[in-house]
Amino acid sequence: MIKKTILALSIAASGAAFAQVSVTIDAAKPGPVISKNIYGQFAEHLGTGIYEGMWVGTDSKIPNTKGWRNDVVGALKDMHVPLVRWPGGCFADEYHWRDGVGPRAQRPVKVNTNWGGVEESNAVGTHEFFDLAELLGAEVYVNGNLGTGSAQEMSEWVEYMTSDSKSTLAEMRRKNGRDKPWKVDYFAVGNEAWGCGGEMSPEHYTQLYKTTTAFLKAPPANRPKFIASGGNDSDTKWTDSLSKVKSNISGISFHYYTIPTGVWEKKGAATGFAEDQWISTMKNTLKMDDFIRKNTEVMDKNDPQKKIGFLVDEWGTWYDVEPGTNAGFLYQQNSLRDAVVAALNFNIFHAHADRVRMTNIAQMVNVLQAMILTDKDKMLLTPTYHAYKMYVPFQDATSLPLTISNNGAYSMGKTTVPQVSASAAKAKDGKIYVALVNTNPNKPVDVTVNLSGAKAGKLNGQVLTAAAMDAHNTFANPEAVKPAPFSATASGGKVVVKLPAKSVVVAAVE
Ligand code: AHR
């Protein structure tokens, strides 16, 4: 009996060694390229996302270039924003592009009926948006108005932006200050056609999409990639209908927001939450993987040559708005939890890089899961910003398959999620990068990183973590959460990463 107990104790004591999580990267089997546009952004005419947050106008005392504030643009450039989607969202289906061109003082003032009923000055229109994209060095994704617009209005907008002829619309663009046509990388026909975009059925929208795109003409060398508005969960009806379209379609969009409670009416707070809402947020955000899998399985049947991309052009956390702010402005704080959510989603997107060729987090500044928050002339970088910047080496990198063995579970009550999430890729600088996430807010975990076919000497990179689950940056303390240098060296032929609780690590494997 005593012997048995000693045996049991010694097994338990050495159990940690057996149960160690290990990540094995297969560098000899490169997968698809992770499009840089997976790190795309979304800027809607919503709250202070554009006005105040980015656009202050040319006469502002806040230093700006062509009306766009220098501090915000500089920070966004530092995180290598590859692409921006504009002008909505729900706003897109009530936006008439002619309202936003010509002398700003003469542009009509409209009511933003979707977002707070505030006045929309139309100060930011097509020319201003392209100025922003040029300042950022980003590709553009313009969302057309199907809901209250028409095929004619959309085709004229495409002509205005892309024509190099002497047509009246191209000449109007020149008169408004832009000689050469712009490159419109992507153009979408409507947004959330199942909801704010017109409450349509998949079949009705699919027919409208085909009819509309038949009239969207652009010079062959300057033709945007056309995007259809798709679904928002594991129901694959939208994807099924749209992936049968044979021409004028480069992508089907998909929207999924992470809500801690899963209940729209009471979503949960951005900060000051308890652990049950930490784990439910992890659980809910990881559903993204299943949604992508189910939808892309349908695409694989209808489009086996993978001509059409699955574009998650709205995603991120959606909390109750900050107390005292306009409910229509969707302003929320952003904590370490958001950075972990972002990293989990990046790892999911990388794993589906063959189809997921673009995503756009909602939204870039001051709205939902933002990169930057502003208060008059001040700005701060959120934990989500830092996650994006840490993952820059993954932009246009070649994905590498990996296996996670002995992954632990992080549980609370009846909810369980995997403790470690990982992704690896060979970056454009020739180095292999690994990204590791620990979802457990209480326990660090040792992760052995192996490179099959080669020896990993050490890891060098950055870690993002903090003492509290809801640690966040404020205007009084803007650097409470920021990345720190991270390294791990080999011992006994393997690299063991000590992954702190609730953390994200991105490191080069050397
Ligand atoms: O990102 C906020 C809103 O969420 C978008 O306007 C809409 O498309 C979605 O419902």
Side-chain angles (χ1 to χ4, degrees):
M1 182 63 191
I2 290 172
K3 265 190 186 165
K4 271 189 184 168
T5 311
I6 291 170
L7 185 65
L9 282 174
S10 64
I11 287 171
S14 63
F18 289 114
Q20 179 144 5
V21 183
S22 79
V23 167
T24 304
I25 303 165
D26 194 346
K29 291 203 185 106
V33 168
I34 297 166
S35 168
K36 67 182 193 312
N37 289 341
I38 279 182
Y39 292 86
Q41 297 285 327
F42 174 32
E44 180 167 14
H45 289 239
L46 194 176
T48 55
I50 290 183
Y51 300 112
E52 283 184 46
M54 285 193 282
W55 170 266
V56 287
T58 47
D59 298 335
S60 172
K61 286 198 183 107
I62 298 177
N64 68 82
T65 305
K66 297 184 174 178
W68 297 100
R69 51 192 290 178
N70 293 344
D71 54 351
V72 172
V73 168
L76 292 171
K77 274 183 80 146
D78 284 349
M79 61 167 267
H80 296 229
V81 171
L83 162 131
V84 184
R85 175 179 182 234
W86 171 86
C90 296
F91 180 84
D93 277 303
E94 295 187 27
Y95 180 66
H96 300 283
W97 69 270
R98 285 171 195 270
D99 294 345
V101 297
R104 278 195 285 274
Q106 289 165 30
R107 296 185 191 174
V109 175
K110 293 284 181 80
V111 176
N112 190 333
T113 54
N114 282 291
W115 305 118
V118 294
E119 283 162 12
E120 164 60 55
S121 68
N122 278 304
V124 171
T126 306
H127 291 251
E128 290 79 10
F129 171 62
F130 276 96
D131 284 344
L132 173 67
E134 278 171 12
L135 289 171
L136 294 174
E139 291 186 12
V140 304
Y141 175 8
V142 175
N143 207 119
N145 175 352
L146 179 71
T148 64
S150 63
Q152 181 180 357
E153 185 180 353
M154 266 187 270
S155 80
E156 288 177 351
W157 197 8
V158 170
E159 181 185 336
Y160 182 86
M161 294 186 284
T162 62
S163 176
D164 203 11
S165 73
K166 295 268 185 254
S167 76
T168 303
L169 282 167
E171 290 292 80
M172 181 175 147
R173 183 193 68 230
R174 291 189 186 98
K175 194 169 136 248
N176 289 334
R178 173 72 186 197
D179 181 22
K180 290 272 159 243
W182 290 290
K183 180 158 175 14
V184 181
D185 299 282
Y186 299 88
F187 188 91
V189 176
N191 167 73
E192 294 193 352
W194 42 265
C196 66
E199 310 236 348
M200 301 177 207
S201 67
E203 296 72 28
H204 180 68
Y205 172 79
T206 302
Q207 184 52 55
L208 271 182
Y209 178 83
K210 291 200 274 192
T211 306
T212 305
T213 51
F215 297 108
L216 299 182
K217 313 271 172 67
N222 193 9
R223 208 172 137 71
K225 294 189 172 84
F226 294 118
I227 311 295
S229 167
N232 65 335
D233 55 24
S234 58
D235 178 350
T236 55
K237 282 201 292 287
W238 286 85
T239 303
D240 184 39
S241 182
L242 288 165
S243 57
K244 288 176 182 150
V245 174
K246 294 289 174 230
S247 53
N248 295 331
I249 184 163
S250 292
I252 299 171
S253 87
F254 180 81
H255 293 179
Y256 173 61
Y257 285 97
T258 300
I259 297 169
T261 61
V263 178
W264 279 96
E265 294 69 33
K266 189 83 191 125
K267 303 176 192 71
T271 56
F273 50 85
E275 192 182 335
D276 61 335
Q277 287 200 5
W278 169 281
I279 195 167
S280 64
T281 303
M282 301 296 130
K283 182 93 186 168
N284 287 342
T285 214
L286 288 168
K287 289 179 186 167
M288 180 71 89
D289 187 49
D290 194 44
F291 293 156
I292 294 176
R293 197 176 305 283
K294 290 212 165 73
N295 279 280
T296 55
E297 273 169 14
V298 170
M299 292 178 82
D300 288 348
K301 280 196 203 112
N302 295 339
D303 172 38
Q305 290 174 315
K306 298 190 195 264
K307 289 186 181 152
I308 305 174
F310 188 71
L311 315 180
V312 187
D313 68 7
E314 284 185 33
W315 66 276
T317 53
W318 194 324
Y319 306 126
D320 297 328
V321 296
E322 292 302 320
T325 64
N326 186 326
F329 282 15
L330 310 186
Y331 178 83
Q332 62 190 39
Q333 244 302 354
N334 190 294
S335 74
L336 177 65
R337 178 176 61 171
D338 294 83
V340 173
V341 162
L344 288 174
N345 280 282
F346 298 155
N347 292 354
I348 293 170
F349 299 147
H350 296 173
H352 296 280
D354 59 333
R355 280 279 182 197
V356 178
R357 299 166 195 162
M358 181 211 290
T359 89
N360 309 75
I361 192 167
Q363 299 190 4
M364 195 149 66
V365 178
N366 286 340
V367 176
L368 298 176
Q369 190 176 348
M371 312 301 110
I372 289 177
L373 301 177
T374 65
D375 180 13
K376 300 186 187 72
D377 61 341
K378 293 198 281 268
M379 70 152 204
L380 63 79
L381 308 177
T382 66
T384 299
Y385 174 97
H386 293 305
Y388 267 80
K389 199 166 169 197
M390 286 166 70
Y391 271 76
V392 164
F394 285 90
Q395 292 194 14
D396 283 340
T398 302
S399 60
L400 296 174
L402 59 73
T403 47
I404 306 180
S405 359
N406 293 325
N407 200 353
Y410 157 50
S411 305
M412 188 186 183
K414 288 187 182 148
T415 312
T416 296
V417 295
Q419 183 169 8
V420 173
S421 155
S423 184
K426 185 162 190 181
K428 289 197 297 183
D429 63 8
K431 292 184 191 167
I432 291 174
Y433 287 82
V434 62
L436 299 167
V437 183
N438 181 0
T439 58
N440 191 320
N442 309 310
K443 286 200 182 127
V445 56
D446 284 356
V447 180
T448 306
V449 176
N450 307 296
L451 262 188
S452 76
K455 265 200 172 175
K458 61 178 176 178
L459 293 188
N460 254 329
Q462 290 189 307
V463 60
L464 189 66
T465 189
M469 289 183 293
D470 69 342
H472 57 278
N473 296 332
T474 61
F475 294 101
N477 189 6
E479 298 204 350
V481 185
K482 63 175 183 180
F486 182 88
S487 63
T489 41
S491 139
K494 55 186 184 178
V495 181
V496 179
V497 174
K498 295 203 167 300
L499 200 55
K502 47 177 160 22
S503 70
V504 178
V505 163
V506 177
V509 187
E510 289 165 4

